[in-house]
Amino acid sequence: GAVVSQHPSRVICKSGTSVKIECRSLDFQATTMFWYRQFPKQSLMLMATSNEGSKATYEQGVEKDKFLINHASLTLSTLTVTSAHPEDSSFYICSARVAGGANTGELFFGEGSRLTVL
Amino acid sequence: AQSVTQLDSHVSVSEGTPVLLRCNYSSSYSPSLFWYVQHPNKGLQLLLKYTSAATLVKGINGFEAEFKKSETSFHLTKPSAHMSDAAEYFCVVSDRNQAGTALIFGKGTTLSVSS
């Protein structure tokens, strides 16, 4: 199946710094990528939908100035957590849909990135 | 709007006994339904998917699920649990008629398997 790679898998940073997480589709093109956040022992909550070449669409309650999303190419989307604070500590997971494929709704998920803000 | 309800937050079984994880969905259109598994601190792995073909779907690791439109259910089953099946399971719905719609996750069911 299609492979989605996230980097870094784990990052620890000081409060007030910014952290960038990359999401790459390795063997397919993805016009749409999705960013999810998962708190410990909870489900995945959709943060935003990232469309190649256009602005991301954020879910209600997600601060777009806090979580900057860029989808500059058909294989790369980035999430930047700006001025991170301890409450931003979480597991962030990206997913992608194959561009031009049958719209079965299936997404392919990255391995996730665990952010810890001290 | 679509939604999914996982009826049990935690299921405990003994190794070798059957597994049943329950899921009900709500969707305005013909849904695609999925079950994903997540092991601790790991990403998500697709177990199986229903996309309007056969209503009984077979997935990896011996899991299967049956789409029942009349009951709006998509329960996940396995005849005989293994210790390695212990993980978090998510029932997920997507609206196939709206391209670009993200997947909506249930709250998850934690499966524990005892020896």
Side-chain angles (χ1 to χ4, degrees), chain A residues 5 10 12-13 24 29 35 40 42-43 46 49 70 89 95-96 107-109 113:
Chain A
S5 174
R10 190 178 294 268
I12 301 172
C13 70
R24 294 182 184 272
Q29 293 185 330
W35 285 94
Q42 295 190 26
S43 187
L46 179 65
T49 302
N70 183 276
S89 299
S95 62
L107 295 182
F108 298 94
F109 286 84
S113 300

Side-chain angles (χ1 to χ4, degrees), chain B residues 2-21:
Chain B
Q2 60 270 47
S3 66
V4 62
T5 301
Q6 290 183 244
L7 300 168
D8 307 293
S9 60
H10 199 155
V11 171
S12 297
V13 300
S14 298
E15 191 174 23
T17 63
V19 175
L20 170 63
L21 305 183

Side-chain angles (χ1 to χ4, degrees), chain B residues 33-84:
Chain B
L33 292 159
F34 310 83
W35 276 97
Y36 282 88
V37 62
Q38 184 181 35
H39 289 90
N41 294 312
K42 295 289 187 181
L44 293 156
Q45 181 181 24
L46 178 67
L47 281 177
L48 49 79
K49 61 182 177 183
Y50 165 78
T51 56
S52 85
T55 55
L56 181 61
V57 181
K58 293 187 184 299
I60 62 172
N61 300 336
F63 285 95
E64 62 181 41
E66 186 171 7
F67 173 72
K68 292 186 176 181
K69 187 175 182 179
S70 60
E71 299 176 10
T72 61
S73 69
F74 190 58
H75 301 333
L76 180 71
T77 60
K78 182 173 180 177
S80 176
H82 284 204
M83 296 294 288
S84 60

Side-chain angles (χ1 to χ4, degrees), chain B residues 25-37:
Chain B
Y25 70 90
S26 172
S27 179
S28 302
Y29 301 97
S30 300
S32 288
L33 292 159
F34 310 83
W35 276 97
Y36 282 88
V37 62

Side-chain angles (χ1 to χ4, degrees), chain A residues 10 32 34 36 38 41-44 46 49 91 93 97 103-112 114, chain B residues 32 34 36 38 41-44 46 49 51 90 94-103 105-107:
Chain A
R10 190 178 294 268
T32 304
F34 304 91
Y36 290 84
Q38 185 180 32
K41 300 187 184 301
Q42 295 190 26
S43 187
L44 280 72
L46 179 65
T49 302
F91 195 52
I93 303 176
R97 174 170 290 129
N103 183 23
T104 61
E106 181 178 358
L107 295 182
F108 298 94
F109 286 84
E111 287 286 305
R114 181 162 299 286
Chain B
S32 288
F34 310 83
Y36 282 88
Q38 184 181 35
N41 294 312
K42 295 289 187 181
L44 293 156
L46 178 67
K49 61 182 177 183
T51 56
F90 294 99
S94 172
D95 186 341
R96 284 186 293 116
N97 288 315
Q98 296 184 22
T101 301
L103 299 185
F105 282 74
K107 291 186 180 299

